[in-house]
Amino acid sequence: GNSVTQMEGPVTLSEEAFLTINCTYTATGYPSLFWYVQYPGEGLQLLLKATKADDKGSNKGFEATYRKETTSFHLEKGSVQVSDSAVYFCALRTNAGKSTFGDGTTLTVKP
Amino acid sequence: GAGVSQSPRYKVAKRGQDVALRCDPISGHVSLFWYQQALGQGPEFLTYFQNEAQLDKSGLPSDRFFAERPEGSVSTLKIQRTQQEDSAVYLCASSHMFGGALGYEQYFGPGTRLTVT
């Protein structure tokens, strides 16, 4: 079956540090890949997505590239801010429609 | 208009009680999904509707769980004879696209936190 493995947290960084959250997946077929963010007290929000190999998704300074050869979709940001503190979920979706999520990585950014 | 809404936001049930959780998707969205999110874990798929048709219920953990969407809009997830292991956040998501289209956005509601005591 499909599965997503993401870097265990929590991750604590200082403001302006570089962020990487690793995500690897196992899937049948050719999935679309997603990163979602959940801010404290709020629901899941789509952060970025990529639908085919070598696509790069980007939003709010975050980036992730769909790497089929390594089955990875690592999330990166060059300079994090305190406001980026949240839980980040990597997910995949096949043409069956349902999404498979990782367990989430909690990021705390300190001033 | 408004996003996906869910009610109640919080529900405490005594073990053995039945509960009903409601999801109001974005108007006009044909696809609706239910997920269960246990504490410290990612959401796990429960069931999927395309309009009023329940096309996939492979994630429902037992026959105590039942979902419906009779008119293709509002959906209700019902849990009968609740158990402590049912305690979780139940998330609803909707989309204007059919399930077979890749890359479309699913919009999530805020969830209902169910605590079974």
Side-chain angles (χ1 to χ4, degrees):
Chain A
N2 299 335
S3 67
V4 174
T5 302
Q6 62 180 103
M7 179 174 152
E8 286 190 24
V11 174
T12 302
L13 296 173
S14 297
E15 207 165 22
E16 299 184 4
F18 184 85
L19 169 70
T20 300
I21 301 178
N22 290 338
C23 171
T24 57
Y25 67 91
T26 302
T28 54
Y30 301 96
S32 293
L33 301 175
F34 303 83
W35 277 101
Y36 288 87
V37 60
Q38 188 170 35
Y39 297 104
E42 298 185 16
L44 280 171
Q45 300 175 29
L46 178 65
L47 180 59
L48 54 84
K49 67 180 182 183
T51 58
K52 60 184 188 297
D54 300 324
D55 268 3
K56 177 186 284 188
S58 61
N59 186 27
K60 299 181 181 180
F62 291 88
E63 293 183 340
T65 301
Y66 190 143
R67 301 287 188 200
K68 190 166 180 286
E69 64 275 13
T70 54
T71 61
S72 65
F73 192 55
H74 304 320
L75 182 68
E76 297 182 336
K77 186 175 185 182
S79 176
V80 293
Q81 306 300 313
V82 173
S83 58
D84 293 327
S85 298
V87 183
Y88 292 82
F89 292 92
C90 184
L92 67 83
R93 187 189 309 146
T94 64
N95 58 5
K98 60 186 177 185
S99 296
T100 301
F101 288 83
D103 283 340
T105 302
T106 300
L107 170 66
T108 301
V109 180
K110 297 189 172 181
Chain B
V4 178
S5 61
Q6 293 185 244
S7 59
R9 291 293 311 278
Y10 303 91
K11 177 69 179 177
V12 179
K14 292 186 177 178
R15 192 171 55 146
Q17 282 185 331
D18 298 348
V19 297
L21 312 180
R22 177 186 169 106
C23 172
D24 284 80
I26 295 173
S27 178
H29 278 195
V30 299
S31 293
L32 186 145
F33 302 82
W34 282 98
Y35 294 87
Q36 180 190 58
Q37 185 176 16
L39 187 64
Q41 297 183 16
E44 293 202 0
F45 171 80
L46 292 177
T47 187
Y48 160 55
F49 290 86
Q50 184 173 297
N51 295 310
E52 68 278 6
Q54 189 174 21
L55 298 188
D56 187 345
K57 54 182 181 179
S58 62
L60 295 177
S62 78
D63 59 7
R64 296 186 295 104
F65 286 70
F66 173 76
E68 60 183 6
R69 194 186 185 198
E71 297 179 358
S73 55
V74 171
S75 177
T76 303
L77 177 67
K78 297 180 179 178
I79 309 174
Q80 297 178 324
R81 304 181 304 281
T82 52
Q83 304 294 315
Q84 284 193 317
E85 62 262 29
D86 301 335
S87 296
V89 175
Y90 290 85
L91 298 171
C92 176
S94 72
S95 171
H96 70 288
M97 295 296 290
F98 292 105
L102 292 178
Y104 61 87
E105 183 164 354
Q106 291 181 352
Y107 296 85
F108 282 82
T112 294
R113 182 178 297 278
L114 173 65
T115 303
V116 181
T117 61

